[in-house]
Amino acid sequence: MKLGICQIDTIIGDLEGNKKKIIEGYEWGKENGCDIVVFPELALTGYPPLDFVEKSEFRVAAKLKADEIAKVTNKDTAILFGSITEIEDNVGTNIYNSAILAFDGHIQFIQDKTLIPNYDVFDEVRYFESAHDIGVFRFKNEILGISICEDIWNDEDYWKKRLYPLDPVEKLIKYGATLLINISASPYSFGKRKTRYNMLHTLTSTNSVPLAYVCCVGAQTDLIFDGASMCFGSDGELVKVGNLYGEERFIFDTSEDTAPVSISDEVFEEEIINSLVTGIRDYAVKSGFSKALIGLSGGIDSAIVTWLAVQALGKDNVHVVLMPSMYSSEGSVNDSLKLIQNLGISHDTISIQPVVDKLLEVMTPYFGGLAPDITEENMQSRTRGLYLMSLANKFRYLLLTTGNKSEMATGYATLYGDMCGALAVIADVYKTDIYRLSRYINRNGEVIPGEIITKAPSAELKPDQKDQDTLPPYEVLDTILKMYLEENKEINEISAVVKDRELVKRVLKMVDINEFKRKQAAPALRVSNKAFGYGRRFPIVQKWSRE
């Protein structure tokens, strides 16, 4: 059977635009003699549609668009795409995440998603019911076994511990499926692409059935989708693979495509950079922004974000602002100017000192004679936030924040100051990995000035300030944070590795008490398996004890 694989980038809620993209893909498949043209999970609505699903008007509109797609089909070339469907009864949500198969002008078969994930960034139990039935469908000379994303992530031959007692794919095989098709919206995190490959290779080689795995691509706010749709022969060999981070159409012929291919084995730095660039670009384009704004401090974090923005939007569409104060070193200003020259971007320099001085003049009488502390430091950062937000409003810039994961975890950031912005580009990248990225960026020649990389990091909000005045060395801090945030380890297990229980306890407390800041932060582009955002949910007010 000849399958047209359409790895597309959709916009959540853009039913008409997504419909047109699906129909265009179908016409391409028809012209190329495809038997079925396949699109990703919830391709019509965009993934994840979240609370749009709860709007009856949205559901009605999605049904009308699905019918319009079906009407363009002929009897020779079918189309398979994801959307929402619903039934009427008095139990449950009555709404389903569905794979819709249409040909000859009508919807002919619907397979609803069976395994409804409810972990990390997935909250589908909130919206969807599980399929009441699992079935196969005979089309031409094949028996189609259709599944949706999570349905294929429960193979007992691969997973040592399964999340669900039921394996929908096992049922499809039992019912005689001769071709498996899985439509998916699987968010990127580092290492996940290799996991997908290993899992699907095991499934196809064990069951001796070819498989087309079709994934979406692009970014939806904080979630990034890397594409890499994969097609396997009945011997478990990967024979076709889609682009990374880009839309693509290609043909998978189950009888002719037998030569093995390999998935791209990107290094860590390359994967993270490509993902973040995709996240910035899609957020800007889908939100209607053409230019980005960054506050450039002379530090490595803002330098990395600026470089990423240039890769995503082009140097003519990135503007930076230097906002020195009385505590800004001459090196920070000069290093920033060198980066600006290297990248060929525009900039302004606006001192915050006159505003800070006036704020201190106005507010000091109301501070009750208390000694200066972090309050005065934060006033500087919040002045910078005011400058940046004003410029972003005036010129319709997309303001990007520059805080890394280590800072966001420990609260080493100022609410309504350096946290101002629409998108937190590197808030899921640890500080130690920021250094890895900078060295990778400079691998063929200096782009980020060496002085920015080698100098001790500082917020420069008071004389001779260094990050390590407040935080442990980043190598130690990031070890603690990764175990706590991504591996769900607690104080005893972490202390066994770090060998300093009091330090571990202090860091974990910093993470916990700063939850209120993260709840108000810009969405963070997700590149790890546990990013800040709705994939990690902890209470702001709590008394978990680690004595």
Side-chain angles (χ1 to χ4, degrees), residues 152-166:
I152 214 164
W153 287 75
N154 202 42
D155 180 15
E156 65 179 347
D157 293 315
Y158 180 79
W159 298 104
K160 293 180 180 178
K161 177 177 172 56
R162 298 194 298 163
L163 292 179
Y164 314 90
L166 173 66

Side-chain angles (χ1 to χ4, degrees), residues 16 20 40 52 86 97 100 119 161 183 207 233 255 267 304 313 355 377 380 442 447 452 462 545:
E16 181 61 23
K20 289 180 179 178
F52 276 126
E86 63 179 320
N97 180 340
I100 298 173
Y119 57 88
K161 177 177 172 56
I183 63 172
N207 293 289
S255 60
V267 298
I304 288 280
L313 304 175
V355 174
E377 293 181 39
Q380 299 170 61
N442 282 357
V447 178
I452 290 178
K462 64 181 181 180
S545 175

Side-chain angles (χ1 to χ4, degrees), residues 397-467:
Y397 288 128
L398 170 62
L399 179 56
L400 304 176
T401 74
T402 62
N404 61 63
K405 191 170 188 174
S406 309
E407 294 172 344
M408 295 304 297
T410 55
Y412 196 66
T414 303
L415 200 58
Y416 321 123
D418 55 324
M419 289 176 64
C420 285
L423 186 66
V425 175
I426 57 171
D428 197 29
V429 183
Y430 296 106
K431 185 74 168 190
T432 48
D433 288 331
I434 292 295
Y435 284 107
R436 287 181 64 180
L437 296 185
S438 68
R439 290 189 290 270
Y440 185 81
I441 292 166
N442 282 357
R443 68 193 183 281
N444 296 321
E446 185 179 272
V447 178
I448 297 175
E451 298 87 345
I452 290 178
I453 299 172
T454 57
K455 67 184 175 186
S458 170
E460 295 192 333
L461 298 175
K462 64 181 181 180
D464 301 319
Q465 186 179 35
K466 299 290 183 288
D467 288 7

Side-chain angles (χ1 to χ4, degrees), residues 344-386:
I345 57 177
S346 60
H347 78 283
D348 289 312
T349 301
I350 314 173
S351 172
I352 65 167
Q353 202 58 51
V355 174
V356 172
D357 290 342
K358 190 63 180 180
L359 277 172
L360 289 170
E361 178 187 331
V362 171
M363 293 303 300
T364 298
Y366 300 97
F367 286 164
L370 295 175
D373 55 16
I374 196 171
T375 305
E376 285 76 8
E377 293 181 39
N378 285 338
M379 288 169 69
Q380 299 170 61
S381 182
R382 289 185 176 123
T383 299
R384 292 187 172 110
L386 174 63

Side-chain angles (χ1 to χ4, degrees), residues 64-223:
L64 290 173
K65 298 300 180 185
D67 289 337
E68 290 171 6
I69 292 171
K71 286 178 182 177
V72 307
T73 61
N74 61 27
K75 64 180 181 180
D76 295 318
T77 302
I79 189 169
L80 179 65
F81 63 96
S83 188
I84 56 175
T85 61
E86 63 179 320
I87 62 172
E88 291 187 12
D89 65 27
N90 296 320
V91 179
T93 67
N94 306 326
I95 306 170
Y96 298 88
N97 180 340
S98 304
I100 298 173
L101 180 70
F103 58 89
D104 200 16
H106 300 283
I107 293 173
Q108 306 284 352
F109 177 73
I110 295 176
Q111 177 59 62
D112 301 322
K113 191 172 185 176
T114 302
L115 305 183
I116 312 298
N118 189 35
Y119 57 88
D120 193 50
V121 298
F122 305 105
D123 200 10
E124 293 186 32
V125 170
R126 176 184 174 102
Y127 308 105
F128 301 120
E129 289 191 46
S130 179
H132 293 297
D133 299 299
I134 299 172
V136 294
F137 186 84
R138 183 178 291 276
F139 182 69
K140 295 189 175 181
N141 61 337
E142 298 282 3
I143 300 174
L144 307 178
I146 299 168
S147 61
I148 304 174
C149 201
E150 189 82 355
D151 291 344
I152 214 164
W153 287 75
N154 202 42
D155 180 15
E156 65 179 347
D157 293 315
Y158 180 79
W159 298 104
K160 293 180 180 178
K161 177 177 172 56
R162 298 194 298 163
L163 292 179
Y164 314 90
L166 173 66
D167 181 0
V169 177
E170 183 180 336
K171 280 200 167 188
L172 295 173
I173 297 294
K174 181 181 178 181
Y175 295 158
T178 59
L179 173 61
L180 298 175
I181 304 175
N182 181 266
I183 63 172
S184 179
S186 179
Y188 167 83
S189 60
F190 178 69
K192 192 173 183 181
R193 191 180 311 130
K194 195 70 174 178
T195 298
R196 291 190 205 117
Y197 165 78
N198 290 334
M199 176 186 68
L200 298 176
H201 167 73
T202 299
L203 186 150
T204 49
S205 59
T206 301
N207 293 289
S208 300
V209 179
L211 163 72
Y213 163 83
V214 185
C215 189
C216 62
V217 72
Q220 308 289 0
T221 309
D222 51 342
L223 297 183

Side-chain angles (χ1 to χ4, degrees), residues 7-9 215-218 225-228 242-249 278:
Q7 178 177 289
I8 62 172
D9 184 358
C215 189
C216 62
V217 72
F225 300 87
D226 58 337
N243 282 339
L244 297 178
Y245 308 103
E247 292 187 305
E248 186 180 17
R249 301 168 182 162
T278 299

